[in-house]
Each structure stands twice: as C-alpha cells, then as structure tokens.
Amino acid sequence: MSTVEPIVWHLDHLRLLDQRVLPHQTGYLTCRSAADVAEAIHAMAVRGAPAIGIAAAYGLVLAARAGLDGFEAAVAVLAASRPTAVNLRWALERMQRARASGADATALEAEAIAIHQEDLAQNLRMGELGAALLPKGARVLTHCNTGALATGGHGTALGVIRSAHAQGKIAQVYNTETRPWLQGARLTAWELQQEGIPARLIADGAAAHLMHVEKIDWVIVGADRIAANGDTANKIGTYQLAVAARYHGCKFMVVAPSGTFDLACDSGAQIPIEERTATELTEFRGQAIAPTGFDAFNPVFDVTPATLIDAIVCERGVIEQPNTAQVRALLGGH
Ligand code: MRU
C-alpha cells in the first residue's frame, strides 16, 4: 500500500501535498478556509477527480467551522473551482444532503472523513476487479495520474496496475508524459518508481507507435465524468489513445468509482470540458516556447465514446462493452 498522503485533515485546517512541484520538491499547502481549498483545486495543487472531491468536502467542513451561514456560499465557490470532474459536485451534494438533514460542523467533518475513507476502499475493490481482467505477463499503457495522489489512496487506473503488480501479473507498464502539466512524467512515474513496478515513460505522441512495435494488452485510464451511455471524459489525449488502441487491437479499460458517473448527462456531448489558459502551452515554467503573442487551444479533457471502451471498472462491478442499459443496471439509483 502506498504511503503517499496527498490530503491530510487536521481538525481546523487541511494540508494538501503541492502536486505542482513534485517529484523533486515535497511541500504542503495549508488551507484554512473553503476559499483556500477552491484556490488550491483551481491552481492544481490538488488534482485528480476523486482527490478534488475529497478536498472540497473538507473545504465545506472549514466553512461550517467558520459559521454555518456561509455554507452554501462555500459550496458555490468550491463548485466553480474546476468544471469537468463530477466527483467535485458529487462530494459537495453529499455534504449538502448531510447539512440538510441537520449535520453540524462535527457531523460534517465525519461525513468528509467518510468520503475520504470510502474512496480508498472503493479503489482497493476496483483494483481487484480490474486486475482480474489482465492476463499474466500483462503489458499496459496508462495516461495522466490516477494513483494515490489523485484519490483517497491506491488509485483507480493506477490502482488496477498496483493490484495486478502485487499479483505478479505485470510485465511492463508504459506511462505517457501527459502534456502540458506532465502528470504522467512527474506524478505517475514517481508513484511507479516508489512501488518498484517496471515502467517506462513515453512522449504522448509515441503511443500509436508503441502499439505498432510492441504488444500492449490493455490501455488503462481513469475518468473525470462518465455519461449515462458510458461516454467518458478524461485527461486530454485519452480519446486518441482509445482510437489508436482499437486500431491496434489493444483493449481499453476505464476505472472509476460510482461518484464519477453523471446520469444527468445522456452522452459525452453534455459534459463540460475545461479549457485552461493558452500560456500552459506557449510557455514552460514561465519560459516562452512559442512566438510571443501566439494563440493556443488548451482543452484539458476530452471525451472517449463508449464504443471505444472495452470495460468500465467501478467498485460496484465491471461493465463490458458499455451502453446506457448496462450503466443504468450497474448504477441504478446512483
Ligand atoms: O487535470 P487533472 O490532473 O485533475 O486530470 C486528472 C485526470 O484526468 C485523471 O485521469 C482523472 O481525474 C482520474 S483520477 C483517479
């Protein structure tokens, strides 16, 4: 089990491992208000769909401690911090339901801790379910960071890789750099190295070539929002991995807890896609790369159609060849 602790709750403040400076610096941010947490989410000090939901829940505990009158305003501030990962809204709504049934700051704290702990338990379950789909000697490719850093622990897609490695099933992992924030090169590589899992980094643009020259059994990714028909929003570049995987006969697995499903979206067309500032592409750590004044299109998520997905692994079970009926059967009342 990983010992990385990206989200640490301390009664009157929240400490967040600053993921912008990993792996060469380890520092924690201290959040003392919901606004501090919202800023940390927006600035990507904490990132990954489940992790931002957990952080937001603790943000509401900080708001409740400051006075229950400010609770709904804090919900609005946190909800606006990032648009695509529905886990954020899911966690806020769960906290709102607790508040509506009379929870005070102490009971809200218990609810946030439960959200955090349940996420870890769900990841361990998904790890088992996903690992069971892999052959012995599996060669897999993953994208972005979906590990302990992105969740309450163990990880979603990386959790499946961890569980499969513990079972002796993993021969080789490839992980993409994941431009422009380099979650793969900085964070996934760090987690894989700590666990001693055999892994090699590839440039994002090398994935189709890799599938052409080596057998990749499964591409395994996380999700930020899964629509009612199984269409899946995840880190930009996931869609092109799914297209390349289908062309090369590699299987494609999405791993996400039930809180990542949004049955209010009939299809991926309704999922809001976050666009971030052009300078994330035109500059690198404050240094200009592109010509001064050059524009950029910087969507940070994309939608993979359900038809390109072979399996969705959730803590409630596995859906193969996902469609609306199967998602509904698994999620039921959500
Ligand atoms: O922009 P990020 O780093 O928050 O994006 C993260 C991803 O896209 C992950 O794949 C997703 O949130 C699942 S994390 C378990």
Side-chain angles (χ1 to χ4, degrees):
M1 168 76 71
S2 164
T3 53
V4 181
E5 270 203 282
I7 304 171
V8 187
W9 174 246
H10 289 269
L11 291 173
D12 65 345
H13 67 279
L14 181 66
R15 293 180 78 228
L16 296 172
L17 181 60
D18 189 344
Q19 300 193 27
R20 296 167 298 184
V21 296
L22 284 173
H24 297 294
Q25 290 175 50
T26 310
Y28 279 84
L29 291 182
T30 299
C31 299
R32 297 194 180 274
S33 67
D36 288 350
V37 176
E39 178 50 29
I41 293 171
H42 179 70
M44 306 218 357
V46 58
R47 32 68 46 205
I52 64 178
I54 294 163
Y58 285 123
L60 287 183
V61 182
L62 295 172
R65 287 261 158 84
L68 286 165
D69 290 350
F71 187 82
E72 285 304 321
V75 170
V77 168
L78 286 159
S81 58
R82 286 192 82 187
T84 301
V86 78
N87 308 61
L88 176 62
R89 194 185 76 199
W90 173 87
L92 294 173
E93 286 176 355
R94 181 162 157 182
M95 295 293 283
Q96 280 178 301
R97 282 197 298 278
R99 174 73 200 113
S101 60
D104 60 6
T106 305
L108 288 166
E109 178 187 36
E111 191 72 7
I113 292 170
I115 289 172
H116 195 168
Q117 290 175 345
E118 285 167 23
D119 188 67
L120 172 59
Q122 289 170 348
N123 291 340
L124 292 169
R125 176 75 187 134
M126 293 188 292
E128 292 299 311
L129 292 171
L133 299 176
L134 302 187
K136 205 161 169 43
R139 306 174 69 78
V140 304
L141 171 63
T142 190
H143 187 50
C144 196
N145 173 265
T146 60
L149 291 168
T151 63
H154 195 67
T156 57
L158 200 56
V160 167
I161 293 170
R162 271 201 168 95
S163 297
H165 174 69
Q167 295 170 12
K169 277 184 148 182
I170 296 287
Q172 184 68 50
V173 177
Y174 287 93
N175 64 298
T176 59
E177 285 182 298
T178 321
R179 285 274 299 149
W181 276 81
L182 301 172
Q183 290 95 328
R186 297 186 300 106
L187 309 177
T188 302
W190 190 60
E191 291 199 50
L192 287 164
Q193 189 175 55
Q194 286 185 335
E195 298 273 322
I197 300 175
R200 298 177 84 187
L201 185 64
I202 61 165
D204 295 342
H209 177 74
L210 171 70
M211 293 174 196
H212 180 65
V213 296
E214 284 193 27
K215 176 158 171 46
I216 299 296
D217 298 293
W218 282 89
V219 176
I220 311 177
V221 298
D224 288 83
R225 193 181 299 219
I226 303 176
N229 69 346
D231 289 353
T232 294
N234 190 50
K235 179 52 54 193
I236 191 74
T238 302
Y239 178 27
Q240 66 196 21
L241 289 178
V243 171
R246 180 59 54 89
Y247 183 80
H248 291 93
C250 314
K251 298 259 186 127
F252 193 89
M253 184 193 303
V254 171
V255 188
S258 46
T260 306
F261 286 79
D262 184 358
L263 301 187
C265 290
D266 294 334
S267 77
Q270 280 122 45
I271 299 176
I273 299 295
E274 178 181 7
E275 282 182 35
R276 294 179 69 94
T277 172
T279 56
E280 289 184 353
L281 295 177
T282 58
E283 296 177 1
F284 183 71
R285 296 196 164 146
Q287 185 85 34
I289 303 173
T292 306
F294 204 79
D295 196 11
F297 173 47
N298 186 22
V300 299
F301 298 98
D302 58 25
V303 174
T304 298
T307 49
L308 293 178
I309 298 170
D310 293 290
I312 297 180
V313 175
C314 174
E315 83 281 1
R316 298 193 188 175
V318 176
I319 304 176
E320 297 194 33
Q321 319 311 330
N323 58 36
T324 304
Q326 297 221 57
V327 170
R328 231 172 260 294
L330 188 77
L331 272 291
H334 213 275

